[in-house]
Amino acid sequence: MNESGRLRVLLADDQPLLRMGFRLILEGEDGLEVVGEASDGADAVRQVEELDPDVVLMDVRMPTLDGIEATRAITGLGARARVIILTTFDLDEYAFAGLQAGASAFLLKDVAPAELVQAVRVVASGDAVVAPRVTQRLLETYVRGAVQAAAPPAPPPRDPLLEELTPRETEMLEAMSEGLSNAEIAHRYFLSEATVKTHVRRILAKLHLRDRVQAVVYAYETGLVTPSNPDY
């Protein structure tokens, strides 16, 4: 966010009409500003360095450098920009790879305008996950696939960093991994939302994670939580 208080957004997609549509939607909203457009991943990385946006809307399939590698490069830079992966269908292996690479959320390309605007605001705030239950479904599907593909299957080693969490923080991380919002976690554990936010911030700091989505990915990959619904 710049000094004017506006959220700065970079659009990265190789389809000019899609970029135009997103620009029209976002710039029609108070407090949002599209600061640049990139037609491939390499250009997106360069513009993140030059323009320092708050949020990047990142297509996964682009020439020169795809959205996954571009996301990995952006997070590797230590940039403050949060990446939203754009995909065409919800159970997309590329979207899952994007989350592993450091993206904060993913959206379908046919997202409603109001949902797009809300997603940008939510991801910029860092306080929630876009479409948390859809994100959970995506994670469970691909974590289960990775487990089934393993030969022989073996539980991942427990990360020593988990020992840094208090029992309450471990509960909070497990609840986040279910796709619960701060309000839902607060209701379940009879806490205030402010207290839940404090727990979330401490969890992210202790585990050296960027945001809630990365916490959920971490919880699945370390075996703290396991896929729950075999019918997915």
Side-chain angles (χ1 to χ4, degrees):
M1 188 177 294
N2 59 19
E3 294 180 358
S4 68
R6 297 171 67 85
L7 289 175
R8 298 161 53 82
V9 183
L10 174 68
L11 306 177
D13 196 293
D14 62 344
Q15 299 180 45
L17 288 178
L18 192 64
R19 296 199 308 269
M20 180 185 299
F22 284 160
R23 177 182 282 274
L24 290 173
I25 292 168
L26 295 173
E27 292 194 332
E29 296 290 324
D30 292 336
L32 297 181
E33 175 185 8
V34 176
V35 295
E37 297 185 19
S39 59
D40 62 64
D43 192 25
V45 175
R46 180 184 61 79
Q47 291 197 47
V48 165
E49 292 186 273
E50 290 182 359
L51 302 173
D52 191 28
D54 298 292
V55 176
V56 181
L57 291 179
M58 181 80 74
D59 185 22
V60 290
R61 297 172 179 85
M62 291 185 292
T64 308
L65 189 70
D66 66 32
I68 308 306
E69 291 306 317
T71 297
R72 186 172 288 111
I74 289 168
T75 56
L77 289 171
R80 65 189 183 89
R82 298 180 184 274
V83 177
I84 299 176
I85 293 289
L86 297 171
T87 184
T88 52
F89 58 100
D90 56 5
L91 290 181
D92 185 341
E93 63 182 291
Y94 291 100
F96 177 64
L99 296 181
Q100 289 184 307
S104 296
F106 76 99
L107 284 178
L108 300 182
K109 283 192 172 184
D110 61 356
V111 62
E115 292 177 11
L116 173 66
V117 171
Q118 176 67 6
V120 169
R121 297 190 192 281
V122 164
V123 167
S125 75
D127 285 338
V129 176
V130 176
R133 287 176 181 79
V134 179
T135 302
Q136 182 196 16
R137 181 173 177 233
L138 182 82
L139 286 166
E140 291 203 343
T141 297
Y142 288 102
V143 170
R144 177 178 294 108
V147 170
Q148 290 175 343
R158 184 173 176 85
D159 189 335
L161 287 177
L162 285 172
E163 305 303 327
E164 300 294 323
L165 301 183
T166 66
R168 174 64 86 184
E169 288 166 349
T170 300
E171 286 181 333
M172 297 292 104
L173 179 54
E174 290 170 347
M176 290 161 59
S177 301
E178 292 179 40
L180 299 185
S181 66
N182 284 346
E184 290 168 330
I185 295 172
H187 178 75
R188 173 183 288 185
Y189 293 104
F190 304 101
L191 301 171
S192 69
E193 284 191 56
T195 298
V196 173
K197 287 183 179 181
T198 298
H199 282 307
V200 171
R201 284 194 296 270
R202 288 175 179 168
I203 290 166
L204 298 181
K206 288 181 178 181
L207 300 179
H208 309 301
L209 300 170
R210 286 167 58 89
D211 54 35
R212 291 171 65 105
V213 165
Q214 297 310 304
V216 175
V217 172
Y218 173 91
Y220 277 95
E221 290 187 332
T222 59
L224 178 67
V225 296
T226 56
S228 58
N229 189 343
D231 295 328
Y232 274 155

